[in-house]
Amino acid sequence: MLLLFTGYNATVLAYGQTGSGKTYTMGGAYGISIDGIEEMTGIIPRVIRDLYAGMQERAEEFDFVVKISYLEVTTYKPWAPTGMGKRGTCPSPLEML
């Protein structure tokens, strides 16, 4: 996390067999994560929490721009969960390169 504040970008990728725990590892039990049960908190909520805490510590020195993307590919069909309509469908399909 500290390297993010020195200008590095970061990517996290979870890949594996169906049912192996990728979604849980990345997100945790989302509703429980908010309540602060650390053992149930996934990578994404932890990073967001730590990112904003670090930004708050440095707020008087710097202006921040945060850009975050989240993409999940299920059954080889890509979809973006925000603004793309019903889960599993895309108004305009994403192109896999």
Side-chain angles (χ1 to χ4, degrees):
M1 279 299 302
L2 294 177
L3 292 176
L4 289 175
F5 294 106
T6 62
Y8 285 86
N9 294 317
T11 299
V12 177
L13 174 68
Y15 178 83
Q17 183 175 343
T18 298
S20 62
K22 298 172 301 295
T23 299
Y24 182 79
T25 299
M26 297 302 287
Y30 283 105
I32 295 171
S33 297
I34 294 169
D35 296 333
I37 301 172
E38 191 68 20
E39 299 82 33
M40 304 292 277
T41 304
I43 293 170
I44 293 171
R46 290 176 194 225
V47 167
I48 297 298
R49 178 193 62 208
D50 294 348
L51 175 66
Y52 279 91
M55 289 169 44
Q56 193 170 24
E57 290 173 11
R58 296 162 177 84
E60 291 187 20
E61 298 176 62
F62 302 100
D63 292 325
F64 292 96
V65 175
V66 177
K67 296 181 183 181
I68 299 173
S69 298
Y70 177 89
L71 177 71
E72 183 174 337
V73 178
T74 59
T75 61
Y76 303 104
K77 296 177 186 173
W79 66 281
T82 55
M84 295 295 288
K86 186 178 174 184
R87 180 179 175 140
T89 63
C90 294
S92 56
L94 299 174
E95 183 178 334
M96 299 297 286
L97 302 175

